[in-house]
Amino acid sequence: MCIRDRYQRRVHGETNIKYFMKVLLLAFLALSFVAVSADNWAVLVAGSDGFWNYRHQADICHAYHILLNNGYKPENIIVFSSNDIAKSSENPFPGQLFNKPTGEGEIGVDVNAGCVIDYEGYDVFPRNFLAVLRGEAETVEGGTEKVLGSTHEDRVFIYFADHGAQGLISFPTYYLFADDLIKTFQYMHENKMYSELVFYLEACESGSMFQKLPKDWKIYATSAASPYESSWAYYCTPDDKVNGKNIGSCLGDHYSISWMEDTERGDLTETLNDQYEIVKKRVTKSQVLEWGELGLNVQPIGNYHANGFQPTTINRLKAQFLRKMVSFETARGIDSRDVKLHYLNNRHQIYNNLESSQALRAEINERLGADHKFAQLSKYFNFPAEDLLTQTSPEDFNCLKESVTVYEQTCGKFSDYSLKYVQFLVNVCEKRRDLPKEEILAGIATVCARMN
């Protein structure tokens, strides 16, 4: 081979190498740009009020600090909370909230400190929540007017803690129904408001919110319970002590504290499926389930519970939280439907006065009254007693929504306990298709009128 040929081949080789390196560099820069431009957003919702529901607001503020300490931008976290617990006269630690117990002499972690709430009090209602998810600042009412500003490059994490029933979850004044949530997901999907979305839902019968969730919308959800059972509160009296003092209410929810305490262990490379299996194993009184696009569960939890992997942050979390942990074996849970009864009974044992006695008796009477009302409704609609709460999923949401409204207008508002009877209204709407909706609504009003 002549010298000239050798030289040309060498030049061509160097040119190819340089070209290849240039392509690699451009690819790296492109990936870097995507990584920088992509962002994480979160919406955290405590949908309840009342001191017996202490745990929901503590859960949400705890989650806020996990995300913040794991690198989330504060402006990308949107929080809903009635915010009545920390300042309640019943709170033995005014202005503070605790999501887990500690021993005497241990101060505990105040999750209310620095927990920034965007929508509180009367601003916590379903229409605002859905407007936030859709990014519609012009339609939200009150609050900071902060809404999701996510794009097709961003990941979104939603965590909701409150009460629920078949086909709905609760807010302080009304309910969010499953069909409206799915329609909002569809809007977000069609308008490319996320690359992937993860939703953790703490509520009784929470699985019923995701039964119609498509498997190809890049949405992965887990629920604290199946569509047909209660979720469970945790760290309840007598396990509700912080620094030797009883809070007087359950500090957390079993599903919620399970995923949060697992995230706090610091392994953000753990997959969503790993966490799902861990939580499912720890939560023994309800069936934790997963929904939607299950293929997303191979992703690390750090993609949603953090804004990038930051070992120093993880170590700080370990030092701050893990030393406060109480083992699951030493604490106990309570059916969420029974938490208020448990709370009032404990108060009566402590105070043993006329006020505590009347409050306990009123709760017992309310529960008995709900049982009786739905027994009468069952007779009116020719349902055998054993079919009162038959496991049926809602299809006719118009009938369900109007039935809930008419019941509350004529029989009184659903309570944490009586929400379980929403299942009966679902059954009537689905199994008495021979009746026009107007007859169903009139029947509910008739029975309630007789009993008032």
Side-chain angles (χ1 to χ4, degrees), residues 44-48 56-57 60 80-82 124 159-162 171-172:
L44 311 175
V45 184
S48 68
H56 298 140
Q57 293 177 32
I60 292 303
F80 287 76
S81 173
S82 290
V124 182
Y159 167 48
F160 184 102
D162 190 19
F171 281 76

Side-chain angles (χ1 to χ4, degrees), residues 21-70:
M21 293 301 294
K22 184 177 181 180
V23 170
L24 280 180
L25 179 60
L26 288 172
F28 174 78
L29 290 173
L31 288 172
S32 299
F33 176 77
V34 170
V36 170
S37 62
D39 223 336
N40 280 18
W41 290 77
V43 181
L44 311 175
V45 184
S48 68
D49 54 14
F51 198 75
W52 57 91
N53 288 319
Y54 180 108
R55 63 197 185 279
H56 298 140
Q57 293 177 32
D59 287 338
I60 292 303
C61 281
H62 188 174
Y64 176 86
H65 285 294
I66 288 175
L67 301 183
L68 193 65
N69 290 334
N70 274 350

Side-chain angles (χ1 to χ4, degrees), residues 179-296:
D179 65 326
D180 294 320
L181 179 62
I182 299 301
K183 288 174 187 174
T184 298
F185 285 156
Q186 182 177 6
Y187 176 90
M188 296 174 71
H189 173 69
E190 292 175 350
N191 286 275
K192 297 178 170 44
M193 292 187 64
Y194 59 86
S195 59
E196 297 99 19
L197 186 153
V198 167
F199 196 138
Y200 283 7
L201 179 54
E202 173 75 64
C204 291
E205 299 167 81
S206 45
S208 66
M209 297 297 290
F210 301 124
Q211 288 176 297
K212 300 294 185 181
L213 178 61
K215 301 181 185 300
D216 59 353
W217 282 1
K218 295 294 182 183
I219 297 176
Y220 173 77
T222 68
S223 60
S226 78
Y228 309 109
E229 64 183 347
S230 297
S231 62
W232 286 65
Y234 212 64
Y235 297 145
C236 304
T237 306
D239 302 314
D240 62 335
K241 289 184 178 180
V242 174
N243 195 13
K245 188 181 294 188
N246 286 99
I247 297 295
S249 191
C250 302
L251 304 188
D253 290 284
H254 206 174
Y255 162 88
S256 294
I257 61 169
S258 295
W259 78 256
M260 286 189 281
E261 292 180 1
D262 177 64
T263 295
E264 288 169 353
R265 293 175 194 276
D267 182 9
L268 296 179
T269 64
E270 175 183 291
T271 67
L272 290 167
N273 185 65
D274 291 337
Q275 184 162 91
Y276 166 69
E277 294 294 339
I278 289 168
V279 173
K280 187 167 68 169
K281 183 176 181 181
R282 288 178 173 173
V283 178
T284 57
K285 298 295 183 69
S286 65
Q287 188 179 5
V288 177
L289 295 174
E290 57 182 348
W291 309 87
E293 191 160 339
L294 303 188
L296 293 180

Side-chain angles (χ1 to χ4, degrees), residues 349-360:
Q349 290 183 15
I350 293 169
Y351 297 109
N352 194 24
N353 57 25
L354 180 61
E355 180 184 355
S356 64
S357 175
Q358 288 177 336
L360 178 59

Side-chain angles (χ1 to χ4, degrees), residues 334-344 359-374 407 415-418 420-421:
I334 294 175
D335 186 323
S336 290
R337 301 276 186 229
D338 298 329
V339 167
K340 188 175 182 180
L341 181 66
H342 178 81
Y343 155 81
L344 291 171
L360 178 59
R361 175 52 57 187
E363 174 65 13
I364 293 171
N365 287 341
E366 192 281 329
R367 292 163 69 99
L368 293 173
D371 294 341
H372 183 58
K373 288 173 185 175
F374 279 94
Y407 177 85
S415 67
D416 303 345
Y417 170 77
S418 63
K420 70 178 185 178
Y421 287 116

Side-chain angles (χ1 to χ4, degrees), residues 425-439:
L425 299 182
V426 171
N427 293 345
V428 172
C429 288
E430 301 303 325
K431 296 191 173 187
R432 292 303 311 270
R433 294 291 182 94
D434 56 308
L435 296 176
K437 180 181 66 177
E438 291 70 24
E439 287 190 27

Side-chain angles (χ1 to χ4, degrees), residues 89-153:
S89 60
E90 297 181 54
N91 191 349
F93 295 94
Q96 297 181 295
L97 292 174
F98 300 91
N99 200 214
K100 62 185 70 172
T102 64
E104 192 162 359
E106 294 182 88
I107 297 174
V109 177
D110 171 21
V111 295
N112 192 55
C115 181
V116 179
I117 297 169
D118 298 286
Y119 299 90
E120 62 179 283
Y122 294 114
D123 299 333
V124 182
F125 59 94
R127 195 167 63 252
N128 261 1
F129 172 60
L130 297 182
V132 164
L133 295 187
R134 291 192 299 266
E136 296 175 349
E138 69 278 5
T139 62
V140 295
E141 300 176 26
T144 62
E145 299 185 357
K146 189 194 294 187
V147 298
L148 280 182
S150 51
T151 72
H152 69 283
E153 296 178 334

